[in-house]
Amino acid sequence: AIAGDTAACINSSLLHSGIFNFPDTSIVTWLWNFPNGNNSILQNPPVQTYSVAGNFTVSAIATNSSGCKDTAQQNIIIYPLPTVTLPGTMTIQNGFPATIPATYSANTINWVWSPSLGLSCTNCPQPIASPKFNTDYTVTFTDQNGCVNTA
């Protein structure tokens, strides 16, 4: 069988490991095929990183010294990163605050804006900005799957 995580965000790592459902006293070789194009011959292969979102299948073939084989498969889900649309530049006249018109992908649940100076809030989707000087604001945002992005 295959043990390990079954869901991750793009560019995050998943750990997979081979499990014996029944003990085998002979020497067992492994052949893993990962949907990111990697292969491994270790029972506990290195962590895998996936750069494409979707539903995929990991497979492992265990072969004992008598030539008996068993194949295990595990379905995994790789979630896309959340996205945001922001203006490249905003011109705000001193004394006339303006809302930063950010539009996020569905299911975005958390926002952290920085620097906080000149913002009405740092944990909301569209803060009102009233900076006294030229300021570059950054938002780090998270969706319901725990995927994080920054813009």
Side-chain angles (χ1 to χ4, degrees), residues 2 31-40 50 57-61:
I2 297 174
L31 177 58
W32 290 85
N33 290 303
F34 299 103
N36 61 2
N38 292 339
N39 297 303
S40 178
Y50 299 92
T57 302
V58 173
S59 67
I61 301 170

Side-chain angles (χ1 to χ4, degrees), residues 3-47:
D5 299 322
T6 58
C9 304
I10 284 181
N11 299 325
S12 295
S13 298
L14 280 176
L15 181 61
H16 310 284
S17 58
I19 303 293
F20 288 106
N21 290 333
F22 301 101
D24 193 319
T25 58
S26 68
I27 296 173
V28 175
T29 60
W30 292 82
L31 177 58
W32 290 85
N33 290 303
F34 299 103
N36 61 2
N38 292 339
N39 297 303
S40 178
I41 58 170
L42 303 173
Q43 179 178 353
N44 298 308
V47 295

Side-chain angles (χ1 to χ4, degrees), residues 68 110 142:
C68 296
N110 188 27
T142 307

